[in-house]
Amino acid sequence: VQFGYTGIASGYNKYGTKETYYVINGRVDKDFTGICYGTIDGVDGWYNFREGCLGYGWDVVEYNGAWWYVGDNSRIDFSYTGIGYNEAGSWYIRNGQVDFSYTGLGFNDAGCWRIVNGAVDFGCTGVVDSEYGWWYVRNGQVDFGYTGVAQNEYGWWRIENGMVNFAYNGVVNSEYGWWFIRNGSIDFTYTGL
């Protein structure tokens, strides 16, 4: 036993399964939940621990005043950009860290999401303009299957497969009735047939 050792250590539990622990003065610290720097299986990095064991569960954790994305290997993934989760919600991650200043669209395997100040806005339904174009969002997620009309603060728009079609000119029938569309927008001044 190395009573002076503090850091990461691997060993086997009573079932013969390899476990990785956070150790203080040679003893597993079951109270430690957090991030620490070390080497596991020859890979250096910042690792997440829960109750003294290499932690799994939420993939967004707080450390030193910032929120970080922890990948499947319980190591902070500084290359990850996308959506991550913790008990407080769903978050936009840029280069491994929650970007609380970001407002726009973010992506993960489950889809494309409306982000406001770093958080997924599940209350958002309507047309959202972003760096990726103008999209129809329902309950915070881009609805790529929606075709119809929807609105934002600039007006009502023709939506095709979730995206505003600014080139569309003509009449459409939607759940809101029949409308004349000019350059992708409902033309409320049009009076002809």
Side-chain angles (χ1 to χ4, degrees):
V1 176
Q2 296 180 21
F3 294 105
Y5 179 74
T6 295
I8 297 173
S10 293
Y12 292 88
N13 63 22
K14 63 183 176 182
Y15 306 107
T17 305
K18 185 177 178 182
E19 296 276 350
T20 302
Y21 304 98
Y22 182 74
V23 174
I24 294 181
N25 295 323
R27 184 178 183 152
V28 173
D29 181 359
K30 293 184 179 181
D31 293 327
F32 180 76
T33 295
I35 302 290
C36 75
Y37 187 83
T39 303
I40 297 176
D41 295 328
V43 180
D44 293 340
W46 293 93
Y47 289 91
N48 182 39
F49 286 83
R50 292 188 189 283
E51 298 175 353
C53 288
L54 191 61
Y56 299 95
W58 298 112
D59 55 16
V60 173
V61 297
E62 188 274 335
Y63 175 69
N64 206 19
W67 288 16
W68 300 94
Y69 177 78
V70 175
D72 291 337
N73 56 10
S74 291
R75 187 177 70 229
I76 292 177
D77 183 351
F78 295 103
S79 68
Y80 181 76
T81 295
I83 307 296
Y85 311 93
N86 67 9
E87 65 277 2
S90 301
W91 306 95
Y92 178 72
I93 314 295
R94 185 190 318 265
N95 299 324
Q97 185 176 6
V98 173
D99 183 350
F100 291 105
S101 69
Y102 180 74
T103 295
L105 296 178
F107 305 88
N108 70 357
D109 293 342
C112 180
W113 303 90
R114 170 68 172 158
I115 311 297
V116 176
N117 297 323
V120 174
D121 181 4
F122 291 105
C124 179
T125 296
V127 176
V128 172
D129 58 326
S130 76
E131 65 270 34
Y132 303 106
W134 287 33
W135 297 91
Y136 177 67
V137 173
R138 184 189 319 262
N139 299 322
Q141 185 175 19
V142 173
D143 184 347
F144 294 106
Y146 180 73
T147 294
V149 294
Q151 74 177 58
N152 66 5
E153 65 270 23
Y154 303 112
W156 285 81
W157 305 94
R158 170 65 177 167
I159 312 297
E160 294 177 6
N161 299 316
M163 187 175 198
V164 172
N165 180 354
F166 292 104
Y168 187 86
N169 292 296
V171 177
V172 297
N173 182 15
S174 76
E175 65 266 36
Y176 302 107
W178 289 87
W179 300 98
F180 178 72
I181 309 290
R182 186 187 317 266
N183 299 322
S185 177
I186 294 179
D187 184 348
F188 291 104
T189 64
Y190 182 75
T191 58
L193 288 176

